[in-house]
Amino acid sequence: MPGEQDKPERISDAEYAVMEALWLRSPLTALEVCDEVCEKRDWSLATVKTLLSRLVVKQAVSTVPDGRRFLYSPLIERAEYAGSESRRLVDRLFGGRAAPLFAQLAEAEALTESDISEIEALLKELRK
Amino acid sequence: MPGEQDKPERISDAEYAVMEALWLRSPLTALEVCDEVCEKRDWSLATVKTLLSRLVVKQAVSTVPDGRRFLYSPLIERAEYAGSESRRLVDRLFGGRAAPLFAQLAEAEALTESDISEIEALLKELRK
DNA sequence: TTTTGAAGTCTACAGATGTAGTCATTATGA
DNA sequence: TCATAATGACTACATCTGTAGACTTCAAAA
């Protein structure tokens, strides 16, 4: 049937770390992903394998057989993910409005000087 | 011992809906919270009771006895929560930089005309 | 006083998540 | 050819989450 787009399942925190490795470089083998994240997160290779297979089920990662093993690649782009998560946050916490989010960050002093400059430039750009 | 501040436990999606009701108005009884959210989320009163007690355990909500029942109030403020969640997102997805988040929102056309104006005004304010 | 209804507490249970071990298979180097 | 190492599949298990029913208690209405 047409319109075959199961709404993408959410990617968990741990799974996200694996996605990051794949966004950095891909395709990768499970071992290579582990090289990238196991130390940092104090994970075993088994954990990475589990997360990879869950990501495959969630259709967030694709596999290409390479001999008896797989090469894993991201199926969703980082920007796509970042965008949907950002929007989700803005919807949940700020009624879908970006301005209050900005105000919040400003109040929390989470804005650096360069953030401010960049955002100014960005807005100027949007105004054109 | 001093410094008694267990890092706040995370509030789940469902629990957040309950917090919203309490941020809107408090203190409330469990039934009143249910009046506020049960219809919207299609929950039973039992569900609200469970969520409230979990929030009490997580020290996100306080109770004051009122006869044989409790009046519930939020222990953490909405702004506090929104701030920490926003920061969490920025850290996770954008390396702690806020500018890319707004670039992302712009790209996703999640910035309305009035968002832009408001943010511009805030920027002007920050510049002072 | 007796019935009833509102509360909180306990228990339940499926699914998601974090984390990892075991196992069977198979390519590969000795 | 044979042992070995790498690999995916399967299994495990505790905790968190979403949802809610059962039970106990007690105040209030009848």
Side-chain angles (χ1 to χ4, degrees):
Chain A
M1 56 214 81
E4 197 68 74
Q5 56 167 30
D6 346 271
K7 65 221 73 69
E9 273 179 276
R10 279 184 63 78
I11 291 172
S12 76
D13 262 32
E15 287 159 1
Y16 175 74
V18 168
M19 292 304 292
E20 280 208 301
L22 294 174
W23 280 322
L24 223 54
R25 189 162 56 91
S26 74
L28 293 182
T29 65
L31 187 57
E32 288 169 329
V33 172
C34 186
D35 285 343
E36 191 64 45
V37 301
C38 282
E39 185 125 12
K40 214 179 314 184
R41 311 263 311 205
D42 193 34
W43 281 345
S44 74
L45 174 59
T47 298
V48 169
K49 288 184 187 175
T50 299
L51 294 173
L52 278 170
S53 55
R54 287 181 185 168
L55 285 167
V56 169
V57 171
K58 292 185 179 181
Q59 301 192 61
V61 161
S62 67
T63 56
V64 173
D66 170 46
R68 74 253 104 262
R69 65 187 185 176
F70 287 149
L71 297 182
Y72 299 88
S73 301
L75 264 183
I76 65 181
E77 295 175 55
R78 177 184 223 131
E80 186 184 330
Y81 178 75
S84 70
E85 286 299 296
S86 303
R87 201 189 284 258
R88 183 181 147 82
L89 179 105
V90 169
D91 285 347
R92 267 171 41 98
L93 269 57
F94 303 99
R97 309 294 319 289
L101 165 60
F102 181 82
Q104 184 61 59
L105 291 170
E107 186 142 351
E109 315 217 359
L111 296 177
T112 65
E113 197 52 46
S114 65
D115 275 327
I116 294 175
S117 304
E118 284 171 49
I119 293 172
E120 263 174 350
L122 177 68
L123 291 182
K124 202 159 293 177
E125 206 44 45
L126 286 177
R127 280 294 187 205
K128 276 208 266 203
Chain B
M1 56 214 82
E4 198 67 78
Q5 56 167 30
D6 346 273
K7 65 221 71 69
E9 272 180 277
R10 280 182 63 73
I11 290 173
S12 76
D13 263 32
E15 287 159 2
Y16 175 73
V18 168
M19 292 303 292
E20 280 210 299
L22 293 174
W23 279 324
L24 222 53
R25 190 161 56 89
S26 75
L28 293 182
T29 65
L31 187 57
E32 287 169 327
V33 172
C34 186
D35 286 343
E36 191 66 43
V37 301
C38 282
E39 186 125 9
K40 214 179 313 183
R41 312 264 310 204
D42 193 34
W43 280 346
S44 73
L45 174 59
T47 298
V48 169
K49 287 184 189 176
T50 300
L51 294 173
L52 278 170
S53 55
R54 286 181 185 168
L55 285 166
V56 169
V57 171
K58 291 185 180 181
Q59 302 193 60
V61 162
S62 67
T63 55
V64 173
D66 170 46
R68 74 250 105 263
R69 66 188 185 176
F70 287 150
L71 296 182
Y72 299 88
S73 301
L75 263 183
I76 66 180
E77 293 176 57
R78 176 183 226 131
E80 187 183 330
Y81 179 75
S84 70
E85 285 300 296
S86 303
R87 202 189 284 257
R88 184 181 147 82
L89 179 105
V90 168
D91 285 347
R92 266 171 41 99
L93 268 58
F94 303 100
R97 309 294 320 288
L101 165 60
F102 285 90
Q104 186 60 60
L105 290 171
E107 187 143 350
E109 316 218 357
L111 294 179
T112 65
E113 195 54 44
S114 65
D115 276 326
I116 295 175
S117 305
E118 284 172 50
I119 294 173
E120 271 174 344
L122 284 169
L123 281 172
K124 203 158 292 178
E125 208 44 44
L126 285 177
R127 281 298 185 202
K128 275 208 269 206

